[in-house]
Amino acid sequence: MSAAPAAPQPASAEPLDTAGALDLLLVPPRPRTGRRVLPARVGALCAVELQKLRHDRAELYTRAVQPALWLLIFGETFTRIKAIPTGGIPYIDYLAPGIIAQSAMFIAIFYGIMIIWERDSGILTKLLVTPTPRSALITGKAFAAGVKALIQAVVVIAIAALLGVALTWNPLKLIGVGVAVVLGSAFFSCLSMSIAGIVLTRDRLMGIGQAITMPLFFGSSALYPVSIMPGWLQAVSKANPLSYQVDALRGLLLGTPTRLGLDYGVLLLAAALGILAASSLLGRLAR
């Protein structure tokens, strides 16, 4: 009795290219070269940082409480007593750009705690053995802090609008506000990561961060004009990048006289120096 004929094999719609499949397995993909390398890696690292917001959105809500209290209590009270000369602008309007800058700084100034946590959990060591330049690693984290601060700035602007603050809604000026917020936050996050590279522990960083945030805030033009400060504090204010950020925000949002070229120049220089300093100190965290 003859055996049953074998069933015919179904014909593939596309011929299998075994040589091409083996090439994909044996030959690594061509790495990016040239000018595209650094922006691509900065963008990837920034996206990784922002993914953390999907798992802990409560941080955005809780951080909105403090600027709301500043505007509601401090702003409303000093608007009524008219104790601070603001050039005819209601004090709560004058205060709003300063609170935007303050809330952005408070987000960024403790960013070094995160990089110390990554060191303790072994993540930082794995990142440092990759071909990614340290400057790209720091820049990605710095601009991720800037985007977080930008989200916070949107919340503060919304609160200020509900309180009747006369802010501009010009799209170009709002883009300028976003640029100023991102650059200022990039500097303060790099300052925090630089301090982390020096002190190496979260407890010390927390203490130093708490010690410098209020002097940076009160030593700027966020709460009062520079002209009414004592001479020594005016000198501090001129060396404080937060003053230039507040000046840019106030000029863009309220239309007050400002020197935007100087403001953006100082913020850009401060961010670049901060990235350079934090990148040079990053290796100390991995020892």
Side-chain angles (χ1 to χ4, degrees):
M1 186 174 180
S2 60
Q9 295 293 329
S12 174
E14 297 181 0
L16 180 61
D17 186 3
T18 55
L22 288 174
D23 285 344
L24 290 175
L25 292 174
L26 300 177
V27 180
R30 183 179 298 175
R32 293 186 179 184
T33 57
R35 300 178 180 177
R36 297 182 299 168
V37 176
L38 189 60
R41 291 177 179 172
V42 168
L45 290 166
C46 183
V48 169
E49 291 295 319
L50 293 177
Q51 285 291 328
K52 298 173 184 177
L53 286 178
R54 297 179 59 185
H55 304 288
D56 188 15
R57 296 181 182 177
E59 178 185 356
L60 296 177
Y61 307 132
T62 54
R63 288 189 180 275
V65 174
Q66 188 179 40
L69 291 176
W70 272 97
L71 289 173
L72 283 169
I73 299 175
F74 197 83
E76 292 284 359
T77 301
F78 275 76
T79 299
R80 290 177 179 273
I81 64 177
K82 299 180 180 179
I84 298 176
T86 57
I89 302 172
Y91 183 73
I92 192 170
D93 293 20
Y94 184 88
L95 180 66
I99 298 304
I100 293 172
Q102 178 222 40
S103 59
M105 181 187 68
F106 281 11
I107 287 176
I109 201 68
F110 293 106
Y111 220 76
I113 296 175
M114 187 180 301
I115 204 167
I116 293 177
W117 176 85
E118 289 179 354
R119 187 275 310 272
D120 294 341
S121 61
I123 297 174
L124 182 61
T125 303
K126 295 177 182 178
L127 289 173
L128 290 177
V129 298
T130 66
T132 303
R134 293 179 181 181
S135 58
L137 176 62
I138 292 296
T139 305
K141 290 182 175 295
F143 281 94
V147 175
K148 288 183 180 180
L150 193 58
I151 298 171
Q152 182 71 27
V154 172
V155 174
V156 178
I157 288 174
I159 295 172
L162 290 175
L163 293 175
V165 176
L167 302 174
T168 184
W169 299 107
N170 184 313
L172 292 178
K173 291 186 177 182
L174 291 177
I175 291 173
V177 168
V179 172
V181 169
V182 170
L183 287 176
S185 301
F187 165 72
F188 287 114
S189 63
C190 287
L191 175 63
S192 179
M193 289 186 281
S194 299
I195 296 171
I198 295 172
V199 300
L200 302 178
T201 64
R202 279 175 282 184
D203 293 338
R204 291 177 182 174
L205 178 60
M206 282 289 293
I208 294 175
Q210 291 173 353
I212 66 175
T213 48
M214 297 314 290
L216 284 169
F217 179 47
F218 287 106
S220 71
S221 58
L223 297 177
Y224 29 69
V226 177
S227 58
I228 67 172
M229 298 179 184
W232 65 269
L233 191 55
Q234 290 186 21
V236 171
S237 178
K238 290 178 181 178
N240 185 356
L242 189 65
S243 293
Y244 298 92
Q245 184 182 16
V246 172
D247 187 64
L249 295 177
R250 194 168 281 141
L252 291 168
L253 291 172
L254 302 180
T256 58
T258 185
R259 299 170 294 176
L260 286 178
L262 176 63
D263 295 334
Y264 281 116
V266 171
L267 291 174
L268 187 60
L269 178 62
L273 292 176
I275 290 170
L276 181 63
S279 300
S280 64
L281 290 168
L282 187 61
R284 295 189 78 247
L285 283 168
R287 292 175 185 171

